[in-house]
Amino acid sequence: MGPDVFPVEPWRVRETRLDLDLIDESESLFALSNGHIGLRGNLDEGEPHGLPGTYLGSFFETRPLPYAEAGYGYPEEGQSIVDVTNGKIIRLYVDDEPLDVRYGELLAHERVLDLRAGSLARRLRWRSPAGGLVEVESTRLVSFTHRSVAAIEYVVTAVDAPLRITVQSELVANEDLPDQSDDPRSAAPLSGVLEGLHHEHGDGTALLVHRTRRSGLMMAAGMAHELELPSGRALETDSAADWARTTVTCELQPGQRLRLVKYLAYGWSSVRSRPALRDQVHAALTSARHTGWAGLVADQRGYLDDFWDGADVEVEGDPDLQQAVRFGMFHVVQASARAQRRAIAAKGLTGPGYDGHAFWDTEMFVLPVLTYTLPHAAADALRWRASTLDLARDRARQLDLAGATFPWRTIRGQECSAYWPAGTAGFHVNADIAAAFERYRLVTGDDTLERECGLEVLVETARLWASLGHHDRHGTWHIDGVTGPDEYTAVVNDNLFTNVMAAHNLESAAAACERHPEAARGLGVTTEETAAWRDAAAAVHIPYDDELGVHEQCEGFTRLREWDFTGNTDYPLLLHEPYVRLYPAQVIKQADLVLAMQVRGHLFTPEQKARNVDYYERRTVRDSSLSACSQAVMCARVGHLDLAHSYAYEAAMVDLRNLHGNTKDGLHMASLAGTWTALVQGFGGLHDDEGVLAIDPVLPGPIGRLTFRLRWREFRLTVTVTHEQVTFTVRDGPDGTLTIRHAGEDIEVGTGAPTVVDLAPRRPLSPGIPDQPPDCCPDPRTQTATGP
Amino acid sequence: MGPDVFPVEPWRVRETRLDLDLIDESESLFALSNGHIGLRGNLDEGEPHGLPGTYLGSFFETRPLPYAEAGYGYPEEGQSIVDVTNGKIIRLYVDDEPLDVRYGELLAHERVLDLRAGSLARRLRWRSPAGGLVEVESTRLVSFTHRSVAAIEYVVTAVDAPLRITVQSELVANEDLPDQSDDPRSAAPLSGVLEGLHHEHGDGTALLVHRTRRSGLMMAAGMAHELELPSGRALETDSAADWARTTVTCELQPGQRLRLVKYLAYGWSSVRSRPALRDQVHAALTSARHTGWAGLVADQRGYLDDFWDGADVEVEGDPDLQQAVRFGMFHVVQASARAQRRAIAAKGLTGPGYDGHAFWDTEMFVLPVLTYTLPHAAADALRWRASTLDLARDRARQLDLAGATFPWRTIRGQECSAYWPAGTAGFHVNADIAAAFERYRLVTGDDTLERECGLEVLVETARLWASLGHHDRHGTWHIDGVTGPDEYTAVVNDNLFTNVMAAHNLESAAAACERHPEAARGLGVTTEETAAWRDAAAAVHIPYDDELGVHEQCEGFTRLREWDFTGNTDYPLLLHEPYVRLYPAQVIKQADLVLAMQVRGHLFTPEQKARNVDYYERRTVRDSSLSACSQAVMCARVGHLDLAHSYAYEAAMVDLRNLHGNTKDGLHMASLAGTWTALVQGFGGLHDDEGVLAIDPVLPGPIGRLTFRLRWREFRLTVTVTHEQVTFTVRDGPDGTLTIRHAGEDIEVGTGAPTVVDLAPRRPLSPGIPDQPPDCCPDPRTQTATGP
């Protein structure tokens, strides 16, 4: 997947020709979503396809989880995202020959994902096997402003001869899905899960209602059409349990065109009745038709204009990164904008990878971006977590723990991880969630979310840690038998990341109880309890190797066997090496200690950071897409700017260049968000772990200027960084000034004139550039490789 | 299950009445086997039953192992022992009413397992619902001398009125099996796995041939009959794919009897043809008939007389233990005598528990007993292990390890453990196997087994350890990420048991290569390699807590959270607590460090042993049947004699009193062997870890005299211990004397007069008696509780 097919452009992702070998990947890249409806970028005519995909946020089927050797507390039921009724399909017949790009002659084919318009446009020119030449232009959008609505404009033009044209616009449920691979990161196959409950059709309209067989969730999909024909009108609609079809037939003279606008509406519920759902979809269709295609298009652009105005990142000197950071943010917005108290999945709604589950990625990688750029979406995602608190309490009780234990992977809120060492043992997800609540409060300055639900989450997660950890006979507080972010070293004692995040969780909870004493009392919190939390946090063990002068990822980590990189470098290692070999070796899947330094940086001296980066760089293979962005941030912070740039590029290209080989299963939301993180937290130096807005920028050579926008409290701030200076522009906000900690010193900036600060030259904090394991060196990015 | 139903007798296990609530357990207790054929103690008439069971050693079906989240190197296929064609069934009709103990009136019912005769006798008196009174006597044996043969003598007597008697003697394949529980320790249900290939019948004879559907193993079962009737003869035989039946009908006058002898023969093969198997079974039947019932009975007793002559243990003062040790040894002999290069399963051939798999139990718990008492059976079991060496090499290669990795659980040799933290990570099985080879050589003085296959096993397991362990930067050698015997603390670094066993493995392998330089060269061993083995063994890390003055079960163990015994004492804990909670706590399922002290005792000072026993006693819950015997040994060695006695009793009663509640799934071979271990290694003080025969006896108060017999090199030795002295009697052997290390001093004993040594009084090495966790104190055995 190179720039020959996907050229680098600042505001678009354009596919210049149709390469069927890349069809799976392009379906993910070109997926449209608003967080509620997700449409993979399948061709209008339905096939060829890599994987058909139409998803509704958190609409899942359950399945029994099998265990050859079961154990107490193993989840018995999994949840998998369902490929719901496909409304994207518009089939075209040219003189009775079906448009299929595998037959006839495809003279031109271009698709454009427009990051400002929020739409996917396609333009093709095709000669049928019998010689009929047509041009087809289609534009597809999933509306940010009409949550239940997607729409497609489909235009067929006869080019050089009269043609008989037939168009079938369809709804199809229970599509056949191709078999998935054995890769544990892809989805469990689920097909035929929808039971048809109701179908109806009218004049160019149709509606299907289905229910999942096991989970019992009901969904409805409806379509309506607007038609422009040179003359006449031959429209026919029919429906059955699993399909509905509107057929249009006409004759087009050369230059004449048929234009069809297809409105799609979706709804689902676990509690509402069949008529209620049916009517809800009907209402959405009516509203969409009333707004009209042009209105939907305008609304879509308006929504995104507003977003970009407050969130855009401009990168001068690296057009690839420029494109990628916008592509990433666009998909993050797509995954979250209208998710509205549903989980933001690791793949958003772009594919079935990881069964459509949400992980800690959401709170740790996606929400930081949203908190600074689209805070209402962050709040909604946190409200979803809070809504699962009772399930998390049940799980904690099952595990003989106090408080609440949020699931490692889930759609609805129940633990769905069938492998506890890399699931249940990943307790840090609880601290990650707590930190996301705390960050939201800190960045937005808004404590309504904390009052509404955040306090309770903080308290229950603090209780979890208090029951999970313990003091040793010398009074040091430990958390044992847990798995940190790095899944190649699992079930360890005193994972540093987990320990510092747990301590932060405990401190945040104690402080929140202090802020809301009455509510805290209502939760049964006593001052003894908060004192115990603070004491544990203060006594937390921070593993450190005195001899080597580096922190340990976990107790004893630096004493473990070194990985034999002479012989075992088939990446990802997890597909070629057993856990029993990976776990006790100093080989690291993804940033773990490095992530701890990113998010809790003030706990480390600059020299410690530099030594730690050096040590862990040599042992990190980046078999996870959650790693490069953190390595970018920390390499930037310790002054390895070229390396940081390379990592930023790698994070940015995970999907645009399919670096992990599984973009076909859906996009990597965390890494897409991570491009922003690499640029804004890395080169922009943004961090908030000291409770203040801190910005400490530095640019790598090729990037001449970096501009980013963010929200802090009621302010909107633009930060422009060059090699020489940083300019803070407060665009709007309340009267008074905003304090920014720049390079360790607090400065006051106001809504008046921009504040310009000169940058001191930055030198690497350690001699030499860290090495990576063999074949793990990121592609060097010392100069920009592509672009205009 | 108390002495009311199963009274304590020295040479028998007798059931005084039929308690249908105990029928599952009695089927296991009364199972007969020679290591090749296993018959559960089902009633002759087939039902009622707990679980019908007829097994052939290592005859298994495969099944796919499901994983909700798969991982590299997970075994894809499991193996399960198969309930094969049941030849035990003899149904009786009294005036057309079936003998069924649930109906009519059971006036008397007694079963006797005779440990010297090697048979199960049953005697019942039953009045049919219509009033017909019969007496039935049956005797069943599985021949030690005719490996393929079992036989039943069945006698019906009309008591007080003329009766029409019909007897059906059957072969039944694919019996319906009751559903098993969710307990992971029971078997995966498998039924209907036998495909009928051939059936034939003649005059009172029949033969069925079947093949397993997936594993493709072929088996044949045949029967033949001898009949004694007061007059006449009405015998009819028929057969079909899944059954064969010989029916006899006659009239009996009061006092007259019908006597039927049923000869059964079994054979199976993975390679031999259908005719070959058929003929093999036919030949076995012919041979059995030629020997005749009386001959089989006499041969059986002869075999056992010889065994007991060289192996019996006499316990004066505790009749329960007296019975139990013989019961245990009898079943150990049954499991192994004619296994002949097939696995000795954890349950022998007494039930389907653990799927019929063999574990490390065999080498670590069962073979020590056999090595001292029935060495040819130990050698055969080791030959089986060696025969799987190629599979173990394949497994090592798959795991990116050198040498060979033997499976955690298996029937044929492939790894069948679906949970790697308590399977593959239990690498110590390899050292346990190596130690069993080494012990065999040491005790028997016979190095033919080493030449034949032991050397190769030692070399390949040494290579495994060399690739699994590593030196830290200070030169200490570590083995990380493994699971020791204690399955409540898994995937740890430097498990002490594993480390000392691995070091022993490395040393043994190096020494063996020195003994067989040419063969070692043939295996590619260089002096560099053996030097590296010795170096690693010498540098092995022995975790020790200086502050507490105790050894650590694994690195950091004594720093872990203490288990909360105030709230979590639902035993076994594994059914009520998740691994994620158990693993990082100081709660121990079974002897681990204590087992290390038992088998490598010379590495610890007496004071260390005493402190370690004290520390680990308080944290061991004995949720495994592999624990009590080791605790008995170590408590005896550090002078807690009453406690040792209690543990010995517990080990002895695991099945006789169904202490773990799962005797119905089959007997616990390791614990049955462990009774001998507790008495002979514990009170007898037998140990061989210094490479010499060492005996250092001490008796608890209630046991007045303990006599045990064992073989050492060419000698047969009888040791008689009283509270005052120990008497060594060398019964036979070569000229010259035998050196025995008694209480640390070498003494010479000869075949002449017995050598009598006075015993010094022994005091506990630590003050006070160690505590156990709540509800884990073994039943006190300060005085004998039952007996005649």
Side-chain angles (χ1 to χ4, degrees), chain B residues 501-538:
Chain B
M501 291 299 290
H504 181 45
N505 193 159
L506 290 165
E507 289 159 355
S508 303
C513 289
E514 215 175 317
R515 283 192 295 275
H516 309 288
E518 200 163 329
R521 262 197 305 281
L523 296 168
V525 180
T526 65
T527 52
E528 296 309 308
E529 191 173 17
T530 50
W533 295 345
R534 287 199 187 88
D535 291 349

Side-chain angles (χ1 to χ4, degrees), chain A residues 269-290:
Chain A
S269 175
S270 61
V271 293
R272 304 190 68 204
S273 71
R274 203 180 306 189
L277 258 186
R278 189 190 60 199
D279 291 356
Q280 176 183 331
V281 165
H282 187 266
L285 280 176
T286 307
S287 160
R289 290 163 82 166
H290 181 258

Side-chain angles (χ1 to χ4, degrees), chain A residues 69 400 418 473 545 559 568, chain B residues 69 400 418 473 480 545 568:
Chain A
E69 289 184 40
D400 192 17
R473 53 186 181 265
D545 185 323
R559 209 274 291 135
N568 306 287
Chain B
E69 289 185 40
D400 192 17
R473 53 184 180 267
D480 299 324
D545 186 324
N568 305 287

Side-chain angles (χ1 to χ4, degrees), chain A residues 380-587:
Chain A
D380 274 345
L382 291 170
R383 284 192 187 95
W384 164 68
R385 274 294 187 192
S387 76
T388 67
L389 192 54
D390 277 342
L391 295 170
R393 282 196 189 96
D394 291 346
R395 178 70 176 157
R397 209 169 303 127
Q398 186 184 27
L399 299 178
D400 192 17
L401 287 163
T405 308
F406 287 97
W408 180 249
R409 55 187 301 174
T410 191
I411 292 177
R412 169 67 184 83
Q414 293 88 347
E415 179 62 85
C416 295
S417 172
Y419 177 61
W420 74 263
T424 302
F427 284 106
H428 68 83
V429 61
N430 297 287
D432 306 335
I433 291 166
F437 273 98
E438 181 64 3
R439 187 187 306 108
Y440 180 85
R441 187 190 63 83
L442 178 73
V443 173
T444 65
D446 169 16
D447 77 344
T448 54
L449 187 70
E450 179 165 293
R451 287 176 194 279
E452 180 189 327
C453 57
L455 175 70
E456 200 169 353
V457 169
L458 287 170
V459 164
E460 292 291 56
T461 48
R463 285 172 171 162
L464 164 72
W465 293 115
S467 67
L468 191 63
H470 77 107
H471 290 88
D472 68 20
R473 53 186 181 265
H474 303 294
T476 303
W477 193 67
H478 301 272
I479 306 171
D480 298 324
V482 303
T483 301
D486 169 29
E487 295 181 347
Y488 285 174
T489 312
V491 193
V492 299
N493 296 340
D494 285 321
N495 169 254
L496 188 145
F497 176 87
T498 304
N499 282 16
V500 300
M501 292 297 291
H504 181 46
N505 193 158
L506 291 165
E507 289 159 355
S508 303
C513 289
E514 214 174 317
R515 282 192 295 276
H516 310 287
E518 201 161 327
R521 263 197 304 281
L523 296 168
V525 180
T526 65
T527 52
E528 294 310 309
E529 190 172 18
T530 52
W533 295 346
R534 286 198 187 90
D535 290 349
V540 70
H541 181 53
I542 307 292
Y544 185 76
D545 185 323
D546 281 318
E547 284 181 14
L548 299 180
V550 296
H551 284 88
E552 294 195 292
Q553 181 175 302
C554 61
E555 186 64 34
F557 184 81
T558 57
R559 209 274 291 135
L560 295 177
R561 188 170 64 93
E562 296 283 1
W563 189 249
D564 175 14
F565 282 113
T566 61
N568 306 287
T569 53
D570 279 340
Y571 303 113
L573 293 175
L574 68 92
L575 297 185
H576 306 98
E577 292 281 339
Y579 294 129
V580 76
R581 299 287 284 149
L582 289 168
Y583 286 3
Q586 289 195 55
V587 59

Side-chain angles (χ1 to χ4, degrees), chain B residues 602-614:
Chain B
H602 66 285
L603 301 175
F604 304 81
T605 68
E607 293 70 28
Q608 286 174 342
K609 285 178 190 160
R611 282 197 305 271
N612 289 341
V613 164
D614 191 68

